[in-house]
Amino acid sequence: MGDEGGFAPEMDSNEQAIEAVLEAIIQAGYTPGVDVYLGLDVASSEFFHDGQYCLEGDGRTYTSEQFAQLILDWIERYPILTIEDAMAEDDWDGWELITRATGDRIQLTGDDLFVTNPGIFEKGIDRKLANSILIKVNQIGTLTETFEAIRIAKAANYGVTISHRSGETEDTTIADLAVATGAGQIKTGSLCRSERVSKYNRLMVIEEELGTSALFAGLNGFPHCKRRRSTSKDSTFSG
């Protein structure tokens, strides 16, 4: 088990993990890209060193342009709907590159990039980086700044995901926050262990309390991105 409650088996490559999840979806009786889409947390800052992306498990090192192209290739070949931290937090040029390339086809979420900080977030919006923000209350430290970051996101037509942290507790506040702010998305780990399950249990209680006014948005919860097949023009990088 991984730190956030998901399975963490040994894999020969990053792409093998994607294939394993797709196989699980099919064996569960669902259709990838119809019933279930994929979301990746690349956490690129963890392996960005000296201006290069070093994937030790794959035995490869990439420049910003090469790594962005790798991510784009995955988007073309797999039913990926959302990617978090596709590029490193300090690689703003790389973020500009991949944001231009993907356009509004998928959700590009900034976590390490924006760190729930309204000031940093506004600078990122000005440079048109990503199209979504991950919101962590105890990352920025106050509800006031949290609400301001959400307000900025909605004004700029950016997606909002209310998120847990690693080393979570059983506190369920983020479940209420996700519903109360109309964020539309919550990230709180897999269905394993009480610190993860407690959030899902709270969401079910909220659904009961809301009754018929509780709605599941599905793909309509991603108005800032339109999943579509790209043309050759927008699926490659120019020198």
Side-chain angles (χ1 to χ4, degrees), residues 34-231:
V34 177
D35 302 309
V36 182
Y37 287 85
L38 301 183
L40 306 180
D41 180 0
V42 182
S44 295
S45 297
E46 298 297 321
F47 51 88
F48 184 67
H49 307 291
D50 299 323
Q52 292 190 313
Y53 293 87
C54 306
L55 296 182
E56 295 183 2
D58 291 351
R60 295 288 305 274
T61 298
Y62 301 88
T63 65
S64 288
E65 182 173 308
Q66 290 170 338
F67 190 67
Q69 186 63 61
L70 173 66
I71 296 295
L72 192 65
D73 178 60
W74 287 353
I75 294 169
E76 291 298 311
R77 294 190 293 112
Y78 299 112
I80 295 171
L81 178 60
T82 179
I83 299 180
E84 180 183 328
D85 285 344
M87 309 300 286
E89 61 186 295
D90 297 325
D91 186 13
W92 283 42
D93 290 341
W95 271 104
E96 287 184 332
L97 193 66
I98 197 167
T99 303
R100 286 198 308 268
T102 58
D104 62 358
R105 281 180 292 147
I106 70 164
Q107 175 173 269
L108 279 178
T109 299
D111 174 17
D112 294 337
L113 176 66
F114 299 134
V115 292
T116 320
N117 185 302
I120 296 174
F121 186 28
E122 287 185 318
K123 291 178 181 178
I125 292 173
D126 289 341
R127 286 187 59 171
K128 296 181 171 58
L129 307 184
N131 61 11
S132 181
I133 183 172
L134 202 73
I135 298 292
K136 296 175 176 175
V137 182
N138 63 353
Q139 183 180 56
I140 189 59
T142 69
L143 283 172
T144 299
E145 291 165 299
T146 296
F147 292 143
E148 177 63 6
I150 294 172
R151 184 198 65 77
I152 293 170
K154 292 185 175 182
N157 194 35
Y158 270 54
V160 176
T161 302
I162 306 298
S163 177
H164 62 187
R165 301 296 299 276
S166 296
E168 262 291 342
T169 71
E170 292 184 11
D171 183 271
T172 61
T173 300
I174 63 170
D176 291 83
L177 190 66
V179 177
T181 60
Q185 299 175 67
I186 187 170
K187 176 186 177 185
T188 187
S190 189
L191 289 167
C192 174
R193 301 193 303 261
S194 60
E195 83 276 9
R196 308 294 162 185
V197 175
S198 60
K199 277 75 165 175
Y200 296 107
N201 287 342
R202 177 58 185 152
L203 286 170
M204 289 191 291
V205 171
I206 294 172
E207 181 186 25
E208 291 177 357
E209 293 173 346
L210 292 175
T212 56
S213 64
L215 300 175
F216 175 64
L219 289 177
N220 292 327
F222 298 82
H224 51 291
C225 59
K226 301 172 183 176
R227 175 76 192 176
R228 60 177 174 80
R229 296 300 297 176
S230 66
T231 64

Side-chain angles (χ1 to χ4, degrees), residues 9-27:
E10 291 293 330
M11 293 284 180
D12 293 330
S13 69
N14 291 286
E15 199 161 339
Q16 186 183 18
I18 298 176
E19 297 285 356
V21 173
L22 289 175
E23 182 181 351
I25 292 170
I26 294 169
Q27 289 193 17

